[in-house]
Amino acid sequence: MDKSAIVNQRLEDLREVMVREHLSAFIFPSTDPHQSEYVADHWKGREFISGFNGSAGTAVVTLTSAALWTDSRYFLAAEEQLRGTEFQLMKLKMENTPTIAEWIGKECGPGAEVAVDGKVNSTSSVRALIADLRKQGGITLRTNLDPLAQIWQDRPTIPGNPIEEYPLTYAGEATNVKITRVRQALRKLHADGMLMASLDDIAWTLNLRGSDVHCNPVFVGYLLISSAAVTLYINREKLTPEVMTYLKGEGVGVDDYENVQKGLKDYFEYNILLDPDEVNYTLFSAVTREVIEVESPVKQMKTIKNETEIAGFKQAMLKDGIAMVKFLCWLDKQISEGKMPTELTVDETLTSLRAEQPLFRGISFDTIAGYEAHGAIVHYEATQESDVPLKPEGFLLLDSGAQYLDGTTDITRTIALGPLTEEQKRVYTLVLKGHIQIELCKFLSGASGTQLDVLARKDMWREGLNYLHGTGHGVGSYLNVHEGPHQFRMEWKPAPLVAGMTITDEPGIYLAGKFGVRIENTLLIKPYMETEFGKFLQFESLTLCPIDKKPIIKDMLLPEEINWLNQYHQRVLDTLSPRLDDDEISWLQEACAPL
């Protein structure tokens, strides 16, 4: 049975459950009970029911129709993966695309009953959905059903992988100190305690790491902090004797993962902080005490790196730069000798070179190696079916990253493999200008990434070009490659940019069916100057890898942009050369020669 037939059979099975439960529609998000961006296989319900495997999207199934909403990163991939199924693609942020509630209202009519699994939907998303559905003729929402428990016969279990202590050598701050800081932050918010549900927040707070989620060194659990106790709710088989001893020494108790709802009902303090964007609706509804609804204070605490973490990032970027240069040198040689690798070979070769570096612990996300038209698919991932050989012409877009014990990396380079069109050169240069303008920016402390985002787009906009994804996101310290809440984005995101944060700079332009261009460095926010007008900040590039000069139209660059590129390349050359062999140094010298 082919993939589309499997999806259509699953829709039939789901609808049998919906008929028994008197439901007109069921909604599947991309999240897990912890509102993770990337989830363990057990919670990939949206992928199971639709066949679409992107990291973002929502599937909705009625008794007679089905639709999937996703963003611009996945438009092309979703069209391909949904082909042959009942699902129609709904393109987010595009004109005439209905909201989920509007579509349900049209498909199901007034008075219908719709359902979600309250365990995998955040409190804020459920509240918003209830309000939106009410406007569609009084449609009601049920939150206590998981139909996957009935129709997903071979559903993967919740991961039970062992976890490990993250040494103070890399963490830079002890767990008991972090817990003290969390309690201090809670007191400022007049909260007696909090439930921490975000997996990377828990891993950071406890200085523990795991392997429950692909590419993200986190583990499934909850952390309940009160004024007098700290309890980790976790599958106990994950805890080695060493980790149990460590947790006891840090004053952290342990209870079963399934007991978190009981723990909330038994919570004895006067009030509790719950982040409605983080805590799922089922758990939120179980609380009997007064709830303080604000963003978890741990999110920003985690994003501001301490000196040890910053030093670790720089070591990780150094190793990653060595691997990248070795790869680019290899790729150049392959092309010059007429040995054209495929997209999958590119992925495998780069990963193997990273694996040679000390403290390597795997990739930080699935590598995007897209040749020409595949590069226009923002989150393209080569498969055996889609894999194509490179040619000595056009662009290879390569977005990749690694997990090292001392840091997480994320880098994109668009590589000219041979002759380019004038359109390709112009688009590449516009993307480079946007990238450099972010790198050059000096800004007032507390500004948000939304206020700076236009710097990456202004030259593109003059030529009627744009991209629909964000310009940058935070990066974890041997944690998730996507870390918030701060980011560069057109949409209003008020989270302030603060010294000590890491953030990527990755503008791009994608011409469907032709090619894509993206250039990305990971940056550190650091002090610039202080005047009577306030504290000003600047960016430092942590990424160490040459940016391809061959596609650049030099006349399009401002003198300050040329100066930045030349200075950056000189630093890359000076830093990496002592760690490379003679052939690699020779290649790097040419790649970093002044423009």
Side-chain angles (χ1 to χ4, degrees):
M1 191 181 297
D2 66 21
K3 183 178 177 181
S4 60
I6 292 171
V7 167
N8 290 334
Q9 179 60 53
R10 290 171 178 172
L11 289 175
E12 286 187 29
D13 296 340
L14 172 64
R15 285 168 177 148
E16 289 181 10
V17 176
M18 291 168 59
V19 169
R20 288 199 302 269
E21 298 289 338
H22 307 290
L23 294 174
S24 297
F26 198 92
I27 303 170
F28 296 88
S30 299
T31 54
D32 62 7
H34 307 270
Q35 306 313 305
S36 307
E37 178 184 11
Y38 299 102
V39 304
D41 290 345
H42 177 80
W43 288 294
K44 291 183 177 178
R46 187 223 61 219
E47 180 177 341
F48 171 83
I49 202 66
S50 69
F52 169 64
N53 65 4
S55 67
T58 302
V60 183
V61 180
T62 73
L63 294 174
T64 57
S65 56
L68 180 126
W69 282 255
T70 193
D71 62 49
S72 64
R73 296 173 297 170
Y74 297 109
F75 287 169
L76 296 178
E79 284 177 355
E80 178 64 30
Q81 293 178 21
L82 298 178
R83 187 170 292 126
T85 73
E86 289 186 41
F87 280 92
Q88 61 182 117
L89 176 60
M90 299 292 184
K91 298 181 178 181
L92 287 171
K93 299 181 185 177
M94 301 299 285
E95 193 174 354
N96 299 322
T97 296
T99 66
I100 289 172
E102 288 169 345
W103 185 80
I104 290 174
K106 181 179 178 182
E107 293 290 316
C108 302
E113 185 172 41
V114 176
V116 297
D117 178 2
K119 294 190 296 294
V120 296
N121 285 268
S122 72
T123 301
S124 56
S125 68
V126 170
R127 288 172 175 170
L129 185 58
I130 290 172
D132 289 344
L133 289 173
R134 190 177 294 128
K135 298 173 186 175
Q136 304 299 318
I139 294 176
T140 57
L141 184 69
R142 179 179 166 186
T143 62
N144 64 346
L145 177 67
D146 177 13
L148 297 174
Q150 301 178 53
I151 67 173
W152 195 347
Q153 301 303 324
D154 55 349
R155 186 175 189 176
T157 58
I158 296 174
N161 304 328
I163 60 179
E164 61 183 8
E165 182 182 351
Y166 188 52
L168 197 58
T169 309
Y170 306 119
E173 185 179 16
T175 291
N176 60 73
V177 177
K178 291 180 177 180
I179 290 172
T180 297
R181 283 212 288 140
V182 172
R183 284 184 170 135
Q184 289 170 347
L186 291 175
R187 281 197 293 272
K188 290 180 180 178
L189 295 166
H190 306 290
D192 297 324
M194 71 173 292
L195 178 69
M196 204 180 300
S198 177
L199 301 186
D200 57 332
D201 286 3
I202 297 168
W204 176 84
T205 302
L206 297 180
N207 286 340
L208 294 173
R209 297 294 188 269
S211 58
D212 286 351
V213 181
H214 178 56
C215 296
N216 298 277
V218 297
F219 53 91
V220 174
Y222 292 97
L223 192 65
L224 182 61
I225 298 178
S226 69
S227 62
V230 180
T231 304
L232 173 63
Y233 292 90
I234 191 168
N235 184 336
R236 292 175 191 261
E237 71 176 333
K238 303 166 71 62
L239 303 176
T240 64
E242 293 80 10
V243 169
M244 283 294 292
T245 300
Y246 161 74
L247 287 171
K248 185 176 181 180
E250 297 290 339
V252 180
V254 174
D255 201 346
D256 293 336
Y257 180 70
E258 295 78 11
N259 288 343
V260 63
Q261 194 163 338
K262 181 179 183 298
L264 287 170
K265 288 181 179 178
D266 295 343
Y267 177 80
F268 62 90
E269 305 267 14
Y270 178 75
N271 63 35
I272 185 169
L273 185 151
L274 299 178
D275 184 339
D277 292 333
E278 178 181 311
V279 177
N280 68 60
Y281 188 77
T282 298
L283 288 183
F284 201 101
S285 303
V287 175
T288 58
R289 300 292 179 174
E290 178 186 334
V291 175
I292 295 176
E293 295 189 34
V294 296
E295 182 179 85
S296 165
V298 180
K299 292 190 183 303
Q300 188 174 61
M301 291 168 62
K302 179 179 84 265
T303 61
I304 300 173
K305 311 301 188 265
N306 60 48
E307 290 183 4
T308 300
E309 290 171 319
I310 291 171
F313 258 105
K314 291 183 177 180
Q315 285 301 307
M317 295 292 175
L318 174 63
K319 291 176 287 195
D320 216 52
I322 293 168
M324 281 294 299
V325 169
K326 288 179 177 291
F327 165 79
L328 292 170
C329 188
W330 168 85
L331 181 62
D332 237 19
K333 185 176 180 182
Q334 293 287 299
I335 294 170
S336 65
E337 294 176 355
K339 302 173 183 176
M340 304 309 298
T342 70
E343 293 167 332
L344 284 177
T345 306
V346 164
D347 181 1
E348 293 161 1
T349 302
L350 179 53
T351 300
S352 68
L353 290 169
R354 283 188 164 119
E356 295 173 0
Q357 297 299 314
L359 306 181
F360 175 78
R361 299 300 294 267
I363 57 176
S364 57
F365 58 95
D366 289 317
T367 299
I368 299 167
Y371 176 63
E372 286 291 78
H374 284 169
I377 304 172
V378 180
H379 270 210
Y380 170 77
E381 183 184 343
T383 64
Q384 293 292 342
E385 295 73 30
S386 70
D387 189 28
V388 296
L390 309 186
K391 297 178 181 179
E393 61 186 30
F395 278 139
L396 169 68
L397 190 155
L398 181 59
D399 187 354
S400 65
Q403 296 283 8
Y404 302 94
L405 270 178
D406 45 6
T408 301
T409 69
D410 185 2
I411 174 177
T412 307
R413 291 294 182 264
T414 303
I415 305 155
L417 303 178
L420 302 170
T421 66
E422 286 304 307
E423 181 181 43
Q424 286 175 315
K425 293 176 182 178
R426 189 162 192 84
V427 165
Y428 182 94
T429 308
L430 287 169
V431 172
L432 178 60
K433 285 174 69 67
H435 176 93
I436 295 175
Q437 285 300 316
I438 292 286
E439 295 255 12
L440 288 171
C441 182
K442 309 294 187 285
F443 59 98
L444 191 65
S445 179
S448 80
T450 303
Q451 292 167 306
L452 307 187
D453 182 85
V454 68
L455 295 173
R457 302 177 190 266
K458 60 185 178 66
D459 290 297
M460 303 175 188
W461 285 356
R462 287 178 182 142
E463 302 203 19
L465 296 168
N466 190 36
Y467 54 98
L468 296 179
H469 60 72
T471 301
H473 56 82
V475 180
S477 183
Y478 184 44
L479 268 175
N480 297 358
V481 73
H482 290 165
E483 184 175 87
H486 66 291
Q487 52 191 293
F488 297 126
R489 182 168 290 276
M490 283 195 299
E491 298 80 15
W492 174 237
K493 298 290 182 180
L497 300 178
V498 178
M501 289 178 169
T502 53
I503 188 167
T504 63
D505 172 14
E506 49 180 311
I509 296 175
Y510 313 92
L511 302 181
K514 291 183 176 182
F515 63 90
V517 175
R518 185 161 66 250
I519 299 171
E520 175 187 20
N521 281 358
T522 299
L523 315 179
L524 172 68
I525 303 176
K526 55 191 284 188
Y528 173 54
M529 68 166 63
E530 185 171 357
T531 73
E532 67 270 29
F533 297 100
K535 295 180 180 180
F536 290 80
L537 303 176
Q538 62 184 335
F539 297 114
E540 174 189 345
S541 269
L542 297 176
T543 303
L544 295 167
C545 179
I547 295 169
D548 198 344
K549 302 193 306 293
K550 293 188 290 294
I552 295 174
I553 300 175
K554 185 176 179 180
D555 289 345
M556 289 176 60
L557 296 183
L558 300 172
E560 66 175 2
E561 294 166 347
I562 295 172
N563 290 339
W564 179 89
L565 185 63
N566 289 339
Q567 290 172 9
Y568 174 72
H569 277 156
Q570 189 61 51
R571 182 160 69 89
V572 169
L573 179 62
D574 293 343
T575 307
L576 297 184
S577 291
R579 297 162 176 85
L580 301 170
D581 66 28
D582 289 344
D583 288 343
E584 291 158 352
I585 291 172
S586 178
W587 180 91
L588 186 60
Q589 287 173 335
E590 183 175 343
C592 292
L595 188 64

